[in-house]
Amino acid sequence: MSDVMGLRRNYETDVLIIGGGSAGTMAAIKAKERFPGLNVTILEKAHIRRSGAIAMGMDGLNNAVIPGKATPEEYVWEITRANDGILDQRTVLYFAREGYSMVKELDSWGVKFSKDDRGDFIVHKVHMEGRYVVPMPEGSDLKRILYKKVKSRHITTINRVMATSILTRNNRVVGVTGLNVFTGEFVVIKASAVILTTGAAGRLGLPATGYLYGTYENPTNAGDGYAMAYRAGAQLTSLEAVMIVPLLKDYNGPACAYVAGPYGGYTADPDGERLTGNDYWSGELIMHMYQAKQRGQWPAFLKLDHLPEKDIAFIEHVLHSNERPSRDRFHANRGTNYRHRMLEMSLSEPSLCSGHSASGILVDEQARTTLEGLYAAGDVASVPHQYLLGAFVIGKLAGESAALYAKGASSSEPDPAQIDQEYERVYRPLHNSDGYHHEEVEYKIRRTFSQYSTPPKSGTMMNIGMERFRDIRMQDIPRLSAHDPHELGRTLEVPFILDCAEMSTMSSLYRKESRWGFLHYRLDYPTRDDVNGLYRTIVGRTPEGTMMVGQIPVPDPIITDKSSAPAQPVNK
């Protein structure tokens, strides 16, 4: 046990960013650029040199609107269709307009994008209509570049500290509490503005392999931001739209149509024929794959063996050196090779991730949540299908907005009683020496979600799941046990995972229709209802501490077809 376990350490800053991944580092950089005199701090439970979903780099930007290749209006219309009309077009249009300048800035920082002989960005077509994919085959050093930019701007970083709660006073954010997962110290950070960039809720369902941490999403992203925002009083939206993506069988990496598709690779049926008309990641694609399985055209396969050697070698280089370089060892140990046969695919476990779907914290066109002083960006913020470039663009927006707010905000002290209550909750598992190990309870939650709340869904199954979740909350969570700081951090993630499981299931029960293709496919309500279903579900917390679910209208569209100009201005 650490000698400083339980000791308190206090910090103070103007803008605090929780999460040092792609959105978090960009938010910090842009907040500091906006007002250099402000104190800007990143709180990261790993180390920002190699943290977040792009810790090992990325092979491309999936949704860049490059002039001459596509227009912002075309992109907004495409995402509106992919998201079945349930979105705030203002934030998507802001992203579409600002994406190109962000690509150019990243290029100037040394991020390596593919270019043609004239020096123009190469753009591939993967989406249903437009061309938006900008390859970065040498993108393995992306996170190191961001880290250097953070250091050069003298932004404070606090590594190895896991945020545990958002502190509020008079319905306004005033700081954050955390646990140092190395030393066990209790950290309190007073802040005028807080930005959540904590990534997806990746540990929600169980992978087919059964490995708790063998998830498609970065397994350190356990839904912390979703749960902390909910507990602090912010609203979340579209949590019924879970994310499911095509994977290579038994490997937690994508099948990578974004990389292979432009060179002729595709998703095939057992006979080698193209299984889907388009490999763009959407609920519609997953529905096509589910229906193929019901017809007996399963499993699906990644087909590259018909391609020329030079194309296979290039695809192999990109896939094996960026994002998930363990792919090389996986294939070597399996004895599989893109050249010799098709590779079996499967579907990922469900998770919550706005970057690939729509589920996240409700934000407006300034990246503000519904709680004063709290902002969100990246996979945790509900800006549908934003991917990596969206994390950068909305991260920039959140950083600039939070900095402006913090500059004019009056100082407010955190409530000592709230801090003491969180301190007691954080260290309670240390006193349960004969309690449950965190992996036992986490497995129980995620198995329940996979069995009762994963598509295809039904009201009967989800109601049973909610009963199981309530039992876990009453009987198992109080008996969680930990013996050292690292184990305590993992233990504190378990209630976050349970919060996400309940919020998603409650949202799914509320929406009595099917939408987003397979992502919210209900057997008892199998059709899409555009008469009664065009709303955004909202999950929040009542003053008494209970979970509530409701709806708000979808904001009036500003793009009504791919060629239309905005019907109203969008605030920058």
Side-chain angles (χ1 to χ4, degrees):
M1 190 73 73
S2 168
D3 292 337
V4 296
M5 175 75 83
L7 293 182
R8 301 193 184 201
R9 183 180 293 272
N10 296 304
Y11 298 88
E12 185 172 347
T13 190
D14 295 309
V15 178
L16 176 65
I17 297 101
I18 305 178
S22 47
T25 50
M26 188 60 70
I29 291 166
K30 294 305 176 181
K32 193 69 173 178
E33 286 181 356
R34 180 72 185 272
F35 294 110
L38 288 181
N39 293 318
V40 178
T41 301
I42 297 174
L43 188 70
E44 169 58 53
K45 66 176 169 182
H47 194 292
I48 69 165
R49 276 193 302 248
R50 286 293 192 187
S51 63
I54 60 157
M56 300 304 292
M58 185 52 66
D59 50 46
L61 299 177
N62 298 338
N63 54 345
V65 179
I66 305 298
K69 305 296 183 180
T71 68
E73 292 75 23
E74 289 171 339
Y75 179 80
V76 171
W77 183 242
E78 181 138 22
I79 298 306
T80 299
R81 292 174 58 205
N83 216 52
D84 285 355
I86 310 296
L87 77 168
D88 185 344
Q89 286 189 346
R90 294 171 299 175
T91 54
V92 179
L93 182 58
Y94 172 85
F95 158 74
R97 287 174 168 172
E98 296 295 316
Y100 180 54
S101 62
M102 178 60 70
V103 175
K104 291 192 294 183
E105 184 166 24
L106 292 169
D107 182 57
S108 72
W109 289 357
V111 177
K112 301 179 182 68
F113 297 102
S114 294
K115 297 181 181 179
D116 60 23
D117 294 339
R118 297 175 300 178
D120 296 329
F121 295 110
I122 291 174
V123 186
H124 290 318
K125 183 181 185 301
V126 174
H127 293 65
M128 289 178 284
E129 291 189 12
R131 302 173 69 90
Y132 306 107
V133 178
V134 179
M136 7 184 331
E138 307 296 332
S140 59
D141 59 353
L142 175 58
K143 192 60 196 295
R144 287 198 295 268
I145 292 171
L146 294 170
Y147 173 65
K148 289 178 181 178
K149 289 295 178 182
V150 168
K151 296 292 286 184
S152 70
R153 283 155 175 76
H154 306 291
I155 294 165
T156 302
T157 57
I158 305 174
N159 293 305
R160 312 296 182 187
V161 172
M162 169 190 177
T164 65
S165 74
I166 296 169
L167 298 171
T168 60
R169 199 156 200 172
N170 299 322
N171 297 315
R172 172 187 159 191
V173 170
V174 294
V176 166
T177 62
L179 171 74
N180 188 309
V181 296
F182 270 21
T183 67
E185 292 172 288
F186 186 73
V187 174
V188 178
I189 306 174
K190 178 184 173 183
S192 298
V194 172
I195 307 174
L196 283 169
T197 56
T198 50
R203 300 205 323 260
L204 186 59
L206 276 179
T209 60
Y211 296 119
L212 280 180
Y213 306 117
T215 54
Y216 167 74
E217 286 292 341
N218 184 336
T220 64
N221 296 342
D224 310 28
Y226 287 79
M228 286 189 291
Y230 161 71
R231 294 180 182 194
Q235 293 181 340
L236 297 93
T237 187
S238 301
L239 300 189
E240 67 273 30
V242 297
M243 182 192 79
I244 298 173
V245 301
L247 304 179
L248 289 179
K249 181 71 165 61
D250 297 331
Y251 183 75
N252 63 333
C256 283
Y258 288 103
V259 176
Y263 296 91
Y266 58 86
T267 302
D269 67 14
D271 295 325
E273 299 299 321
R274 184 178 287 275
L275 183 64
T276 61
N278 181 276
D279 284 333
Y280 169 63
W281 282 9
S282 66
E284 182 180 356
L285 170 66
I286 306 303
M287 177 61 86
H288 286 322
M289 298 179 79
Y290 168 76
Q291 291 169 340
K293 186 175 183 179
Q294 303 307 111
R295 295 192 302 266
Q297 292 177 281
W298 197 257
F301 295 86
L302 175 63
K303 183 169 174 56
L304 303 179
D305 55 357
H306 61 294
L307 299 179
E309 169 58 27
K310 66 178 181 62
D311 291 340
I312 296 178
F314 177 77
I315 293 169
E316 187 174 62
H317 166 72
V318 174
L319 295 181
H320 293 191
S321 61
N322 290 287
E323 187 182 4
R324 310 193 191 213
S326 61
R327 190 188 299 259
D328 188 34
R329 295 190 299 276
F330 172 80
H331 288 311
N333 291 332
R334 277 287 173 96
T336 53
N337 189 302
Y338 304 120
R339 298 160 180 81
H340 301 154
R341 64 181 184 185
M342 302 187 300
L343 300 187
E344 185 180 352
M345 293 169 57
S346 63
L347 296 178
S348 75
E349 69 287 343
S351 60
L352 301 178
C353 175
S354 178
H356 297 84
S357 178
S359 50
I361 301 167
L362 183 65
V363 295
D364 66 8
E365 67 275 19
Q366 300 291 336
R368 297 174 295 205
T369 73
T370 55
L371 180 61
E372 184 180 350
L374 182 65
Y375 300 76
D379 287 342
V380 75
S382 183
V383 181
H385 297 255
Q386 59 179 294
Y387 297 96
L388 174 60
L389 184 57
F392 288 139
V393 172
I394 305 303
K396 172 188 175 182
L397 175 65
E400 292 175 344
S401 297
L404 181 62
Y405 174 84
K407 188 169 178 61
S410 58
S411 179
S412 184
E413 293 295 325
D415 181 359
Q418 191 178 19
I419 295 173
D420 291 343
Q421 183 179 16
E422 180 64 8
Y423 181 94
E424 192 278 330
R425 185 189 75 86
V426 165
Y427 292 102
R428 189 181 305 147
L430 296 176
H431 306 296
N432 293 338
S433 57
D434 61 344
Y436 300 141
H437 191 268
H438 62 88
E439 289 185 352
E440 296 176 297
V441 182
E442 179 176 339
Y443 176 83
K444 191 174 183 179
I445 296 167
R446 293 171 62 186
R447 183 191 65 183
T448 300
F449 190 87
S450 292
Q451 290 180 339
Y452 293 99
S453 299
T454 297
K457 308 172 185 177
S458 78
T460 300
M461 292 290 285
M462 290 187 289
N463 279 314
I464 294 173
M466 285 302 300
E467 291 178 8
R468 303 284 170 85
F469 292 142
R470 283 189 283 267
D471 289 343
I472 292 170
R473 187 173 296 281
M474 296 295 295
Q475 299 173 17
D476 299 337
I477 296 298
R479 296 192 62 187
L480 281 166
S481 177
H483 302 88
D484 59 56
H486 175 76
E487 198 169 78
L488 184 56
R490 282 280 183 249
T491 300
L492 293 172
E493 290 175 337
V494 175
F496 291 160
I497 296 170
L498 180 57
D499 284 351
C500 291
E502 288 186 313
M503 288 191 290
S504 180
T505 305
M506 289 281 284
S507 294
S508 295
L509 282 166
Y510 186 89
R511 184 175 286 281
K512 293 178 172 56
E513 62 156 353
S514 290
R515 194 168 285 270
W516 299 287
F518 188 67
L519 305 185
H520 180 66
Y521 175 45
R522 287 192 58 162
L523 296 172
D524 46 354
Y525 295 95
T527 58
R528 195 173 102 181
D529 181 2
D530 282 342
V531 174
N532 302 302
L534 283 174
Y535 60 82
R536 304 175 84 183
T537 55
I538 293 295
V539 178
R541 201 176 194 186
T542 68
E544 296 73 32
T546 59
M547 187 177 296
M548 57 76 64
V549 182
Q551 62 176 270
I552 59 173
V554 173
D556 291 337
I558 53 179
I559 303 293
T560 55
D561 62 66
K562 66 181 181 180
S563 61
S564 66
Q568 61 189 68
V570 177
N571 293 334
K572 179 175 179 181

